[in-house]
Amino acid sequence: MPPRKTAKKSAKKKSARKKASSSANKRKNSKKSRKSSSWLPQVLTAPFLLINRLTDRLNFFIKWPLRLVLSFGFIFSSIGIIVGTFYFLRASHFDLKQVEEMPARSIIYASDRRTEIGRMHGDNRLLVELDEVSDYFTSALLAREDSRFYYHFGVDPVGLARALVRDIKDKSMTQGASTLTMQLARNSFDIQAKPGQGSALKSLDRKMLEIALAFRIESHFSKKEILKHYVNRIFWGHNMRGVEAASRTYFEKSAKDLTLSEAAMLAGIIRGPNSFSPFRSIERATSERDTTLARMVDNQFITQAEADQAKTEKLQIRPEDRRLAQGSYAMDAIRRDLDLILEDERIDIGGLTIITTIDHNIQKAAERAMEKHLRTVERKPGYNHQTRSQYQHYLKTAQPEKTKPPKYIQGAAVVIENRSGAVLAVVGGRDADESMFNRAKYAKRQIGSIFKPFVYLTAFNNGMQAQTWIRDTPLRPGEIKGAQRSWNPRNSDGKYYKYVTAEEALIRSRNTSSVRVGDFARMDRVHTTANDVGFTQKLPNTPAAYLGSWEATPWQVASAYTIFPNNGERYRPYLIQEIRNGDQVLYRNSKLVYSAASRGAAWETNKVLQKVAQRGTGAAIKSKFSSPAAGKTGTTDNYQDAWFAGYTTAVTCSVWVGMDQPQRTIDRGYGSTLALPIWIDIIKEADEVGYAAGSFNPPMAMKQARLCRWSAKRATKECEKLGSAYTTEAPADTLPGQHEFCPFHPSKAQPVNENKRAPRAIPVR
């Protein structure tokens, strides 16, 4: 078998050759791998080897220090190139057109479409060329913010080093070392690290990006262009941006007409525009002016004599009565409503014309009334809290960044036009600059007796009449459904009567009889009424809810009370009538109205509330306001909250007075003494400026009926015998049916001996 042996030998030889080839390839690849991996260390060490070679022949004491300096220099240079390249690439993605783009501000007008009450959104509307700005201001700006502006390329190494030292000492990365160019980059692209947000590393990252953007800006714009964009963009407090807007707002003049003193003040307050605003503290603004003048002298922009002369000039700031409502509570409410109406990107563009419902005269009158009467309260014996004057004195001496919120007595008011829901005025406190919290819309405070009319409204809607007799005696354990046996609310005057009419119980704000009215109306029905009139929060499921032992805002209270003059209808409250972009209408409000209560029940409650203003807890109205009005006072336990909510045929207004942290205001601090005087002043102004109060007319034909005072049903002969029958005139939808006779006194019944068993004051369910 020779051929087979030959084949086997041949196969063996081929296998051997393959193994040898594979082994050779492995050795070859291994050499290549070693060769390829050896170049990296060589490249990395080459600069250091070169440094060693260049310094090899030097003296030992010169050679090694020089090698260390050159080596570290090379390392840091390499890192700098890498970092610089990284941030240059990041900065290249930003569009430099944003530096020039400064959208117009949206102008907010009052309901008359002429009175400007503020501006919002956008960066600036009053753009100016640098030639239209006073030379005094440009000099003051450079002296205060960047004296080497014309000698650097976006970053000032001296200033940067100084800031880094401060940052290291303060253990933060907040000093900035910002040149005007860096500030322009920060404001144009919104890249600054906000205080308290992020780590120091993130802040450093933003600062490096800011530097890279500053270099790009310097390479793209001339120094004059950079300065122009800066003065048009910079923030000056009170929602103002740009030197022209600041000059017109603070001094009522153009930026080209600024004096040296005025220019120095504007430049001085840039570092803290809200804290150093002359609207808040003329002393602080003046101090910043003097500091700026001193720096102008140091940098040889002006002489010492010119600085001394400027310091003697009294700053003529725009009077308070001519200031725009930039930081007002009305503007706060408008801004929030606008955010709900327009999409975010549309708001940011700005340049809109916004027509609001605010009546400028009523708004100002409400603000004046609030401050006038609360200052009077602060002077009353027994007022033991901080006064606003004390707080203002404190602001003059406190550090801006460490100021505490005020603790003086506050108030809130909301005025609504009845037949539209248009909000005519919003006062959320005594001063928005001192406390921006809008109490009118967001302060939830216990409303107390202010809620009682809605309990009676529910009862009237379910068969009770204004002349129905109600027990006013102390509550008996187990008498009121859902009440704990120990719950025993008392009448505020400490007096109790065998019975009173429902009308009298509401006029005199009786607690025990009001709880019995609520018990008749039923908890679930009262909750439904509350939701229908605008109290959308969850009410407590206990009888204490009948007495208003829960919280609501003045905005909610005002809107809810509009159903009484509107005969049960409620219009959705709104602040913005129309939004325009030039001739294009972007939004126009459409009235939203619905029936929140039956017309008859609303009318009956309205009649009773008119009597509150005539002879009840709101009787002070009749001596100061001759037109028809109605309303209800409210005072919570320990005089913590004082309320008055009332209306004419034209407008409804709610007023709240109290402390921000619930506590006793003042002894006998009733709604009638603290809130009602403010309400009267506001309503009188509304009546005078066109919202005239008329007569309250019934919403439907009135009908007469003979009813029983105990049951509110048709009177029987036995009711007549007992003396409980009476004749009333009421809306037909509140009267019992023709065959709904008194169940307490059927015709064959005998008079009840009240000493043995008193009849129920209200119908049995």
Side-chain angles (χ1 to χ4, degrees):
M1 308 285 293
R4 290 183 180 178
K5 290 182 179 179
T6 304
K8 286 182 179 179
K9 288 181 180 180
S10 177
K12 287 181 179 180
K13 287 180 179 179
K14 286 182 179 180
S15 176
R17 283 197 300 271
K18 286 182 179 180
K19 288 181 179 179
S21 177
S22 175
S23 178
N25 287 335
K26 286 182 179 179
R27 288 193 298 271
K28 187 176 182 180
N29 290 336
S30 177
K31 289 181 179 179
K32 286 183 178 180
S33 177
R34 286 196 301 271
K35 186 176 181 180
S36 64
S37 62
S38 64
W39 71 268
L40 184 59
Q42 292 177 8
V43 170
L44 293 176
T45 59
F48 301 102
L49 293 174
L50 179 61
I51 292 172
N52 287 343
R53 181 173 296 179
L54 292 174
T55 59
D56 190 51
R57 297 183 179 181
L58 296 176
N59 181 279
F60 177 85
F61 294 103
I62 298 175
K63 175 172 59 179
W64 284 106
L66 185 59
R67 283 179 177 179
L68 288 174
V69 170
L70 292 175
S71 297
F72 280 111
F74 170 74
I75 292 171
F76 288 123
S77 298
S78 300
I79 294 173
I81 291 171
I82 294 170
V83 171
T85 303
F86 171 74
Y87 282 102
F88 173 79
L89 293 174
R90 281 183 63 187
S92 65
H93 292 293
F94 289 83
D95 186 358
L96 291 183
K97 289 182 179 178
Q98 286 184 240
V99 175
E100 300 177 277
E101 291 176 354
M102 294 176 221
R105 308 216 70 198
S106 294
I107 304 178
I108 316 299
Y109 289 100
S111 56
D112 61 6
R113 297 174 179 261
R114 297 188 307 273
T115 305
E116 182 182 334
I117 61 174
R119 300 179 186 183
M120 64 176 62
H121 305 133
D123 287 331
N124 194 301
R125 189 175 73 91
L126 302 173
L127 300 178
V128 292
E129 295 295 327
L130 197 59
D131 295 339
E132 298 174 295
V133 178
S134 166
D135 290 338
Y136 285 134
F137 176 76
T138 53
S139 297
L141 176 66
L142 295 176
R144 191 64 192 260
E145 294 293 319
D146 190 357
S147 60
R148 285 180 285 275
F149 174 70
Y150 287 105
Y151 304 103
H152 61 65
F153 199 69
V155 177
D156 182 5
V158 176
L160 185 61
R162 184 170 55 244
L164 285 174
V165 172
R166 288 198 301 266
D167 284 336
I168 292 171
K169 288 181 179 179
D170 298 338
K171 297 181 180 180
S172 67
M173 283 294 174
T174 58
Q175 287 298 328
S178 296
T179 62
L180 291 185
T181 314
M182 291 169 66
Q183 292 182 48
L184 180 60
R186 182 192 313 150
N187 290 321
S188 299
F189 301 107
D190 192 26
I191 58 173
Q192 69 267 34
K194 296 177 176 58
Q197 293 187 5
S199 63
L201 192 60
K202 289 183 179 180
S203 298
L204 180 60
D205 173 66
R206 291 187 178 94
K207 180 59 67 177
M208 295 299 294
L209 181 58
E210 182 182 307
I211 290 172
L213 286 168
F215 282 128
R216 283 199 68 204
I217 290 172
E218 287 276 353
S219 64
H220 191 270
F221 298 102
S222 68
K223 288 288 186 179
K224 184 176 181 180
E225 288 173 327
I226 292 172
L227 200 55
K228 181 188 77 169
H229 297 327
Y230 180 89
V231 300
N232 278 311
R233 186 179 287 278
I234 196 66
F235 178 65
W236 252 287
H238 306 283
N239 295 317
M240 293 180 299
R241 290 187 182 274
V243 65
E244 184 71 9
S247 181
R248 289 173 183 255
T249 300
Y250 286 133
F251 300 115
E252 299 184 288
K253 62 170 63 174
S254 175
K256 66 182 178 181
D257 298 322
L258 289 170
T259 65
L260 174 58
S261 176
E262 293 164 344
M265 190 218 78
L266 282 184
I269 68 174
I270 290 175
R271 70 186 186 94
N274 283 324
S275 299
F276 300 111
S277 163
F279 286 173
R280 294 195 63 181
S281 173
I282 189 63
E283 291 81 7
R284 287 177 183 166
T286 302
S287 176
E288 293 302 310
R289 176 202 66 181
D290 294 348
T291 301
T292 303
L293 289 171
R295 292 193 182 183
M296 292 179 74
V297 173
D298 292 341
N299 287 279
Q300 299 181 350
F301 287 114
I302 59 174
T303 64
Q304 185 62 55
E306 289 175 311
D308 293 339
Q309 178 63 34
K311 288 179 182 180
T312 64
E313 181 184 325
K314 184 179 179 181
L315 294 169
Q316 300 296 326
I317 304 300
R318 177 191 289 261
E320 189 171 355
D321 61 349
R322 293 204 297 271
R323 296 174 190 173
L324 299 180
Q326 299 283 3
S328 75
Y329 297 107
M331 285 292 289
D332 170 71
I334 291 166
R335 184 178 294 106
R336 292 172 187 265
D337 267 21
L338 188 61
D339 289 344
L340 296 175
I341 293 171
L342 296 179
E343 295 180 357
D344 287 343
E345 60 269 23
R346 188 59 190 142
I347 291 173
D348 290 340
I349 291 175
L352 306 176
T353 298
I354 301 166
I355 311 300
T356 71
T357 60
I358 295 295
D359 184 289
H360 189 63
N361 294 313
I362 299 177
Q363 178 70 33
K364 289 298 181 183
E367 292 169 357
R368 288 194 302 269
M370 185 71 66
E371 181 59 23
K372 180 182 76 172
H373 289 290
L374 293 188
R375 281 195 182 273
T376 301
V377 172
E378 290 174 337
R379 291 193 291 268
K380 287 180 178 292
Y383 179 81
N384 299 316
H385 305 287
Q386 179 190 60
T387 66
R388 187 174 175 218
S389 295
Q390 289 171 340
Y391 182 72
Q392 290 173 327
H393 178 73
Y394 155 77
L395 286 179
K396 293 177 181 179
T397 57
Q399 292 294 324
E401 63 277 5
K402 296 181 180 180
T403 56
K404 297 179 181 179
K407 294 182 179 180
Y408 50 70
I409 192 168
Q410 289 283 4
V414 178
V415 185
I416 300 177
E417 185 180 31
N418 294 334
R419 299 304 296 176
S420 68
V423 179
L424 305 178
V426 180
V427 181
R430 295 172 68 179
D431 190 282
D433 285 333
E434 294 171 5
S435 171
M436 196 58 207
F437 178 58
N438 196 333
R439 297 158 187 83
K441 291 206 71 174
Y442 307 112
K444 295 180 179 180
R445 301 302 292 257
Q446 192 172 119
I447 60 175
S449 296
I450 284 288
F451 183 64
K452 286 179 182 175
F454 302 100
V455 176
Y456 285 77
L457 171 71
T458 309
F460 293 157
N461 199 44
N462 287 277
M464 183 177 286
Q465 294 292 323
Q467 295 302 317
T468 300
W469 278 335
I470 310 295
R471 288 286 177 188
D472 191 50
T473 54
L475 299 177
R476 301 188 302 272
E479 178 185 355
I480 304 301
K481 184 178 179 181
Q484 295 182 355
R485 296 183 66 84
S486 61
W487 186 63
N488 187 25
R490 302 178 181 277
N491 290 328
S492 59
D493 60 3
K495 298 178 181 179
Y496 300 90
Y497 302 96
K498 185 175 290 187
Y499 55 83
V500 295
T501 63
E503 174 183 275
E504 198 65 22
L506 182 53
I507 292 172
R508 301 297 176 188
S509 202
R510 313 297 293 170
N511 283 338
T512 56
S513 45
S514 293
V515 170
R516 290 183 171 102
V517 171
D519 191 48
F520 163 72
R522 284 192 1 206
M523 182 69 66
D524 58 333
R525 291 172 177 168
V526 172
H527 282 195
T528 299
T529 297
N531 289 331
D532 288 344
V533 301
F535 296 114
T536 56
Q537 59 269 47
K538 186 177 180 180
L539 272 63
N541 201 32
T542 65
Y546 302 143
L547 302 180
S549 62
W550 47 278
E551 298 174 337
T553 66
W555 180 283
Q556 289 178 307
V557 171
S559 179
Y561 264 72
T562 60
I563 72 160
F564 299 125
N566 285 341
N567 298 319
E569 290 185 334
R570 178 175 180 262
Y571 289 82
R572 175 184 60 85
Y574 68 99
L575 276 161
I576 297 176
Q577 292 190 58
E578 187 176 278
I579 301 172
R580 305 180 69 91
N581 184 11
D583 294 331
Q584 180 186 9
V585 177
L586 303 180
Y587 169 85
R588 182 174 286 131
N589 178 72
S590 56
K591 296 177 184 178
L592 178 61
V593 60
Y594 64 92
S595 178
S598 71
R599 296 164 67 83
W603 168 252
E604 285 296 308
T605 311
N606 175 25
K607 281 202 307 181
V608 180
L609 293 178
Q610 290 178 59
K611 294 178 181 178
V612 172
Q614 294 166 6
R615 57 184 179 85
T617 53
I621 295 174
K622 65 182 179 182
S623 63
K624 298 180 180 179
F625 185 64
S626 58
S627 300
K632 181 73 181 72
T633 57
T635 308
T636 61
D637 292 343
N638 197 31
Y639 307 113
Q640 291 188 2
D641 302 280
W643 290 87
F644 189 82
Y647 51 87
T648 65
T649 54
V651 298
T652 296
C653 173
S654 70
V655 176
W656 166 84
V657 172
M659 311 299 295
D660 280 338
Q661 298 301 318
Q663 56 185 300
R664 185 187 186 94
T665 54
I666 191 172
D667 186 40
R668 303 179 67 81
Y670 297 109
S672 58
T673 57
L674 299 187
L676 181 55
I678 299 171
W679 183 90
I680 292 173
D681 282 2
I682 295 172
I683 290 297
K684 286 173 66 176
E685 178 69 21
D687 190 68
E688 291 172 3
V689 299
Y691 300 90
S695 298
F696 293 103
N697 297 315
M700 60 185 72
M702 306 292 282
K703 291 187 177 181
Q704 283 192 349
R706 190 77 175 161
L707 306 179
C708 175
R709 290 188 185 274
W710 285 116
S711 66
K713 300 298 183 182
R714 301 278 176 174
T716 66
K717 291 181 180 179
E718 294 304 319
C719 298
E720 298 286 353
K721 289 181 181 179
L722 290 171
S724 63
Y726 73 104
T727 300
T728 187
E729 186 177 59
D733 66 348
T734 67
L735 294 173
Q738 290 294 329
H739 301 291
E740 291 185 66
F741 293 103
C742 175
F744 296 159
H745 311 125
S747 296
K748 296 182 179 179
Q750 298 299 316
V752 177
N753 185 340
E754 292 191 1
N755 293 325
K756 293 183 178 180
R757 180 174 177 271
R760 286 180 61 89
I762 47 181
V764 178
R765 292 190 296 273

